[in-house]
Amino acid sequence: MERCPAGTGAIARAARRLAQGRLVAFPTETVYGLGADATNGRAVAAVFELKGRPQFNPLIVHLADSDAAAGHGIFDDRARRLAEAFWPGPLTLVLPCRAGSPLNELVSAGLDSVALRVPAHPVARALLQACALPIAAPSANPSGYLSPTTADHVADAFGEADLLVLDGGPCPVGLESTVVDLSRPDSVGLLRAGAVTPEQIEAHAGKVVHADAGAAIRAPGMLPQHYAPHRPVRLDAQTVGPGEALLGFGPDLPAGAVLCRNLSAAGDLREAAANLFAMLHELDQPGIAAIAVMPIPGEGLGLAIRDRLARAAAGH
Ligand code: TXA
Ligand code: MG
C-alpha cells in the first residue's frame, strides 16, 4: 500500500495504475472507493479478493459524466431527469445494461442491470478524466467493516495490499450514495437510503417503493432477476456426462464435453472469477443437457465463485 496526497502527479500515476489493471483507492463525496478498471475482469476480481467478500456483490461503476454513463446503461425519461438533477453527486442509478457495453460481467455479478454514478468529488472527477475508463468501486473497506471516510481508514485496512491510496481528505458526505433501481419501467425502487432523499427522488421520478428490507443490498445474489443459466448446472464434476458442456478449472480437463470453457488453465482464482459469468453465458446453449462444473477450491476468491455457482445450480 502506498499513500499520497491527491495532487496532479499522483492522479496521473493513479490513472496509469488503473489502465494496468491495478487498484486505486480514491475519495468521493460519499466515502472512499476501492477502484478498478471496470472493463478488466481480473482487476475487478482483485477488488473482491481484497475486500475478502465470500460473495460477488454487484459494484457501482463511476463515470466522468452522463454521456459516458449512457454507454453502459439504458436511460429512460426518469433516469434522465434524475441524472440531470443530481449528477455529479451522491446518487447511483441501477439501469438495464446496454448491449455492447465493454463492462466486465463480474461488475454486475451477472445481473442484466448495472449501477452507475457520476461522483462530484474533485479528486474522483480528475481521476475519471485522467484515465478515461469506467471505474468499478465499492466502498474501500474489508467486507463487514464500516465504510471509510478518510485515507487513514483505507490505509489501516489495506496496509499490505498492492494499492495506491489517493488522500483527498475526509469525505464531505460521509454516507454512501442513494441507490435507486430504475431497471423496471413500472417502479422506482429505493435500494439504499443516502444523501439524496426519497422526496427528492419522487419530485423527479414519481412514487418511490422502498425495496424489501434492503434485500438487494444484503444479498444481491438472491434476487430473482439474478442471472442463472437456462440449462442445469452440475457442481464438482469429475467427469462429463452425455450431452454436457464443461466449465473447467485447472490444467487437466476430463474429455467428452460437447462444448468446453476453462475458467483458468493455470488454476488461478482471480482469472477464474474474471471469466465466470461470461463463460456461463457462453456455455448456456440450446441442446446442452447440463453444464458440468469442475471443483473450485473453497478458499479466497474460490468461496465467492462457489457461492455463485451454487446459486446457479439451485435455480433448477
Ligand atoms: O457512495 C457510494 O456509493 C460508494 C462510493 C465509493 O461511490 N460506493 C459504494 O459501493 O457504496 P458498494 O459496493 O459498497 O455498494 C454498492 C451498492 C450495494 O448495495 C449493491 O448491492 C448495489 O449498490 N448495487 C450495485 N449494482 C446493483 C444492481 N445491478 N442491482 C441492484 N443493486 C446494485
Ligand atoms: Mg460498501
Side-chain angles (χ1 to χ4, degrees), residues 26 28 30-34 51 57-60 62 92 94 107-108 111 113-115 117 137-141 147 175-177 179 181 191-192 216-218 220 223 225:
F26 62 98
T28 79
T30 59
V31 300
Y32 275 74
L34 184 61
K51 278 186 70 93
N57 272 5
L59 305 180
I60 296 172
H62 299 69
T92 295
V94 174
V107 167
S108 286
L111 291 167
S113 59
V114 63
R117 163 158 132 76
S139 49
N141 53 287
S147 290
L175 183 72
E176 294 96 334
S177 62
V179 181
D181 183 3
L191 297 181
R192 184 172 71 187
I217 298 163
R218 282 203 308 277
L223 292 177
Q225 71 266 32

Side-chain angles (χ1 to χ4, degrees), residues 4-277:
C4 54
T8 317
I11 288 170
R13 200 150 65 78
R16 284 197 297 275
R17 269 183 77 94
L18 288 171
Q20 292 162 354
R22 296 165 80 197
L23 306 189
V24 173
F26 62 98
T28 79
E29 69 276 28
T30 59
V31 300
Y32 275 74
L34 184 61
D37 171 3
T39 67
N40 180 333
R42 273 170 174 267
V44 176
V47 169
F48 285 105
E49 188 174 52
L50 193 54
K51 278 186 70 93
R53 208 181 178 102
Q55 287 180 353
F56 294 129
N57 272 5
L59 305 180
I60 296 172
V61 179
H62 299 69
L63 301 138
D65 53 38
S66 297
D67 284 348
H72 308 292
I74 299 174
F75 284 69
D76 60 15
D77 287 341
R78 303 168 306 170
R80 267 189 287 275
R81 285 196 297 270
L82 287 172
E84 174 84 9
F86 300 109
W87 280 356
L91 176 68
T92 295
L93 299 178
V94 174
L95 303 178
C97 293
R98 181 175 292 288
S101 154
L103 298 181
N104 184 272
E105 292 186 57
L106 191 54
V107 167
S108 286
L111 291 167
D112 47 20
S113 59
V114 63
L116 303 174
R117 163 158 132 76
V118 176
H121 195 288
V123 173
R125 292 177 65 76
L127 181 61
L128 285 160
Q129 294 285 344
C131 72
L133 289 167
I135 303 179
S139 49
N141 53 287
S143 177
Y145 288 88
L146 296 169
S147 290
T149 56
T150 66
D152 275 347
H153 294 160
V154 183
D156 290 349
F158 299 115
E160 301 306 311
D162 176 23
L163 179 67
L164 176 63
V165 181
L166 289 176
D167 186 350
C171 301
V173 175
L175 183 72
E176 294 96 334
S177 62
T178 304
V179 181
V180 174
D181 183 3
L182 297 175
S183 63
R184 278 163 297 183
D186 54 348
S187 75
V188 180
L190 183 67
L191 297 181
R192 184 172 71 187
V196 178
T197 66
E199 292 73 27
Q200 288 177 301
I201 304 292
E202 286 193 341
H204 294 90
K207 183 102 192 76
V208 167
V209 182
H210 294 256
D212 182 23
I217 298 163
R218 282 203 308 277
M222 304 286 230
L223 292 177
Q225 71 266 32
H226 202 286
Y227 175 81
H230 298 298
R231 263 47 68 175
V233 172
R234 188 166 69 81
L235 300 179
D236 294 319
Q238 309 280 0
T239 58
V240 178
E244 282 187 337
L246 178 69
L247 187 59
F249 180 78
D252 303 311
L253 306 188
V258 294
L259 193 59
C260 179
R261 293 286 182 280
N262 195 347
L263 288 169
S264 171
D268 176 65
L269 288 169
R270 204 180 278 183
E271 182 180 23
N275 284 331
L276 179 65
F277 293 107

